[in-house]
């Protein structure tokens, strides 16, 4: 497997995630699009690490940091979704005009 193939796969994941994040109206689907974009970034980091940098530990550390950020982002995002749903019974992005009371 070459670096080009890995980067093409990563860019496909980022593109699909971007389309999903921009085109969906559901909060959950929006979060899934963001998750796909971060997975594409992790794939690119690991591809550069294993094929470009000959396995130096910096790439591995960066991938672990991105995974930690991804977990925090998902936890906060779903907590906000639950809070908005409990407050306004809105599960679609268009159902919210503003976030003010």
């Amino acid at each position: 497997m070459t670096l080009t193939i890995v980067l093409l796969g990563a860019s496909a994941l980022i593109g699909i995630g971007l389309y999903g994040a921009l085109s969906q109206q559901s909060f959950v689907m929006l979060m899934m699009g963001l998750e796909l974009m971060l997975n594409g970034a992790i794939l690119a980091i690991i591809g550069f690490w294993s094929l470009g940098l000959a396995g130096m530990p910096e790439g591995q550390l960066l991938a672990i940091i991105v995974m930690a950020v991804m977990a925090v982002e998902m936890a906060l995002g779903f907590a906000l979704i639950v809070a908005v749903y409990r407050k306004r019974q809105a599960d679609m992005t268009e159902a919210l005009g503003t976030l003010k009371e």
Side-chain angles (χ1 to χ4, degrees):
M1 186 174 296
T2 64
L3 183 61
T4 307
I5 293 171
V6 172
L7 291 179
L8 282 174
S11 64
L13 278 175
I14 291 172
I16 292 169
L18 183 65
Y19 174 74
L22 294 178
S23 67
Q24 298 298 323
Q25 295 177 357
S26 171
F27 288 124
V28 175
M29 296 301 287
L30 178 78
M31 296 295 287
M32 283 183 175
L34 294 174
E35 185 79 20
L36 274 176
M37 288 192 297
L38 286 172
N39 283 333
I42 288 174
L43 182 62
I45 289 168
I46 291 174
F48 276 123
W49 170 68
S50 65
L51 299 172
L53 297 176
M56 294 177 64
E58 289 85 9
Q60 202 172 29
L61 180 66
L62 185 60
I64 290 171
I65 289 171
V66 170
M67 284 183 211
V69 168
M70 189 169 57
V72 169
E73 179 253 339
M74 284 294 127
L76 288 175
F78 283 121
L80 287 173
I81 290 170
V82 168
V84 166
Y85 184 76
R86 285 182 181 170
K87 184 77 173 172
R88 300 210 181 157
Q89 301 296 318
D91 60 348
M92 302 294 252
T93 56
E94 292 180 354
L96 296 175
T98 64
L99 290 178
K100 293 182 181 179
E101 287 284 325

